[in-house]
Amino acid sequence: MNDEHKIIQQVYAAKEDMEAADRLIGTYMPFIKAETAKFLKRPPMEGHDDELSIAMIAFHEAIRGYSRSRGAFLKYAAMLIKSRLIDYHRREQKHSNVISLDTPAGEEDTPLGDTIADEADHNENLVIREATRTEIEELTRQMQEFGVSLTDVAENCPKQQRTLLACRKALWYAKEHPELLEELLQTKRLPIARLCEGSGTERKTLERHRKYMVALLLVYTNGYEIIRGHLTQVMKGVAV
């Protein structure tokens, strides 16, 4: 059996078995780190570089989405990792208003990095990034109590606009009725019946996207101000 055929067999087994998927990710961590290093132009640091986590999630996404018609698995995974890292950096630049230091600062085309060095803004950005990282880590831990991971949320996110809006209607209703959020925390179960009755969302919709809804509602419990602010901006203008 050649290596590529063996990998494909492992991937298909991992599609239906989370433990097999975790083992496969562990086996190919050197590959995942290497692809992340290509993007960063340096080796990634575990626990410090978000890009490595993004790459691991992308590798798992590759496992779930792979079919033999896509060709070699590792080539497909490498492409997906690069794509997700590019998307991540674009979002980071958009939300942090980062301006390249090579951007001309005036009519004389002097690089911005040669004209300003605002240490206060730099320190503030570092504080915000660290606070955001802390919130994400805490949310991840809390979701684990509900048997939900970040990968689960990404996979369980509604793909159709109509379904997305239906889930957001349920979220808005929960925000207006904090006792539902409290019930979620106490019982560790999504109060589907009350959410459906109050928001008019179909039960099968919430059941199908339960893990996504658990994550959204947890964000609106105590704390998570930064994540909540980001969600508010993302959802701004959405008619629900």
Side-chain angles (χ1 to χ4, degrees):
M1 182 185 299
N2 60 43
D3 290 343
E4 182 57 34
H5 184 63
K6 181 179 179 181
I7 293 173
I8 290 176
Q9 282 194 330
Q10 292 174 329
V11 169
Y12 273 85
K15 285 176 177 288
E16 307 299 331
D17 186 338
M18 183 62 70
E19 291 185 2
D22 289 341
R23 288 196 299 270
L24 193 59
I25 291 173
T27 299
Y28 283 93
M29 272 305 297
F31 168 82
I32 296 171
K33 289 181 178 179
E35 293 302 315
T36 308
K38 289 179 185 178
F39 184 84
L40 293 175
K41 303 295 190 296
R42 61 172 175 79
M45 297 175 60
E46 291 192 40
H48 290 84
D49 288 320
D50 293 339
E51 288 82 358
L52 183 57
S53 296
I54 298 297
M56 291 173 64
I57 292 173
F59 189 87
H60 186 266
E61 184 181 348
I63 293 173
R64 301 284 293 182
Y66 178 74
S67 65
R68 288 182 174 85
S69 63
R70 296 186 182 276
F73 171 73
L74 291 182
K75 184 177 180 180
Y76 170 67
M79 178 192 68
L80 202 58
I81 288 171
K82 182 178 180 180
S83 176
R84 295 297 178 261
L85 288 173
I86 290 173
D87 289 344
Y88 171 73
H89 269 251
R90 284 174 177 167
R91 290 195 301 271
E92 285 290 290
Q93 290 175 357
K94 178 180 178 181
H95 294 300
S96 62
N97 296 319
V98 173
I99 302 176
S100 171
L101 294 181
D102 294 327
T103 302
E107 296 179 357
E108 297 179 0
D109 290 338
T110 303
L112 188 61
D114 292 344
T115 61
I116 61 171
D118 194 335
E119 185 176 350
D121 285 347
H122 175 68
N123 290 338
E124 182 179 357
N125 285 335
L126 289 178
V127 170
I128 292 174
R129 284 179 63 87
E130 183 60 32
T132 302
R133 186 192 306 276
T134 300
E135 283 195 11
I136 292 174
E137 291 176 350
E138 176 58 31
L139 178 60
T140 301
R141 283 194 294 269
Q142 190 173 22
M143 287 195 305
Q144 288 175 347
E145 298 177 6
F146 292 77
V148 178
S149 69
L150 289 175
T151 302
D152 292 332
V153 176
E155 293 178 351
N156 200 229
C157 180
K159 302 298 188 295
Q160 297 182 350
Q161 183 70 7
R162 182 179 62 180
T163 308
L164 188 63
L165 294 178
C167 289
R168 288 176 179 176
K169 283 177 64 177
L171 171 64
W172 278 185
Y173 181 78
K175 285 172 56 182
E176 295 171 356
H177 297 80
E179 68 275 10
L180 292 179
L181 299 177
E182 186 63 29
E183 180 180 339
L184 173 71
L185 294 176
Q186 290 182 354
T187 66
K188 299 293 189 295
R189 299 183 64 178
L190 188 68
I192 290 180
R194 295 185 61 189
L195 286 172
C196 292
E197 182 180 357
S199 67
T201 304
E202 293 185 6
R203 185 182 184 91
K204 64 179 181 180
T205 298
L206 295 188
E207 289 177 341
R208 189 179 300 123
H209 299 286
R210 182 187 66 82
K211 294 181 178 180
Y212 172 76
M213 289 302 304
V214 165
L216 280 188
L217 266 62
L218 285 178
V219 169
Y220 282 87
T221 59
N222 292 333
Y224 308 128
E225 285 84 0
I226 297 174
I227 299 176
R228 193 157 57 236
H230 175 70
L231 272 178
T232 300
Q233 289 300 315
V234 170
M235 295 182 178
K236 183 180 293 185
V238 177
V240 295

